[in-house]
Amino acid sequence: MMADLKTAVNPIFLSEEDLRRGIELLFFAYRDFTAEPDAILTEYGFGRAHHRVVHFVGRRPQMTVGDLLTILKITKQSLNRVLGQLVRQGFIVQHRGAQDRRQRLLELTDKGRELERQLSAPQRARVAAAYRKAGAGSVEGFRKVLLNIIASPDDRRRFDRGKPGRR
């Protein structure tokens, strides 16, 4: 038990090396987290921007283009290129808003839901396995660390308990 205390990182007195190691871990984890979806995206001629759009539209059906722009923090031009391709190829449909006809509401088609399932399945399996190995306390600690990396209070509020990933 004493050995555990000596090797534990004290979050109040993090060294430069502890911080750099954490950053490096994020890079390696992201590389491996995106590897399988990247291979699937390549088969469609898509990239990670397409994956993000499919993910968020799948999580929030009927979201507006404006909401998607806010989440992704990309230019309208960049989104239009990616979204246009997904619409033309039948992965996403756009509807006009009932109250505001200028709004474009987005949702996945059956084909889009299948793509989202293919892309997220290996990621869900990877996260589930990591959570099981780490244990409940680590899962909550990890959530807190990630929430504190997110700069925007509005984005952090998306993850209030009871409403994961939604507002």
Side-chain angles (χ1 to χ4, degrees):
M1 191 68 160
M2 277 309 254
D4 289 343
L5 292 175
K6 288 181 182 176
T7 60
V9 174
N10 183 339
I12 298 171
F13 302 106
L14 289 170
S15 70
E16 178 76 12
E17 181 56 27
D18 291 329
L19 296 172
R20 289 185 179 279
R21 190 174 301 125
I23 292 166
E24 196 168 323
L25 279 166
L26 283 171
F27 281 128
F28 277 87
Y30 185 70
R31 178 200 65 196
D32 293 348
F33 181 73
T34 57
E36 292 160 305
D38 282 352
I40 295 166
L41 290 163
T42 299
E43 294 173 19
Y44 291 92
F46 293 163
R48 288 185 184 162
H50 295 84
H51 186 180
R52 287 188 288 273
V53 169
V54 166
H55 171 82
F56 285 109
V57 171
R59 291 283 287 158
R60 295 186 52 207
Q62 299 291 309
M63 78 182 318
T64 67
V65 170
D67 286 343
L68 188 56
L69 282 167
T70 299
I71 289 170
L72 298 177
K73 296 196 186 306
I74 60 174
T75 66
K76 197 180 256 188
Q77 182 179 359
S78 294
L79 178 59
N80 283 339
R81 181 186 59 77
V82 170
L83 188 56
Q85 192 176 11
L86 289 165
V87 168
R88 281 190 306 278
Q89 293 186 23
F91 293 96
I92 291 179
V93 292
Q94 298 181 70
H95 307 283
R96 292 198 182 278
Q99 277 103 24
D100 185 346
R101 306 285 294 158
R102 295 170 298 174
Q103 279 187 327
R104 290 187 297 161
L105 305 176
L106 307 171
E107 74 179 291
L108 297 178
T109 62
D110 288 342
K111 184 177 175 181
R113 280 188 289 281
E114 176 56 23
L115 177 60
E116 191 284 326
R117 189 200 59 73
Q118 287 175 27
L119 296 171
S120 68
Q123 291 181 323
R124 285 190 320 255
R126 187 177 291 273
V127 170
Y131 278 177
R132 278 192 296 277
K133 285 181 186 176
S138 295
V139 170
E140 181 57 21
F142 179 66
R143 187 184 82 79
K144 286 179 181 176
V145 168
L146 292 179
L147 280 172
N148 284 298
I149 289 174
I150 296 171
S152 163
D154 288 338
D155 288 342
R156 284 193 300 275
R157 276 191 287 278
R158 292 177 188 280
F159 298 94
D160 287 343
R161 287 287 184 210
K163 294 194 252 179
R166 297 176 190 244
R167 224 193 325 213

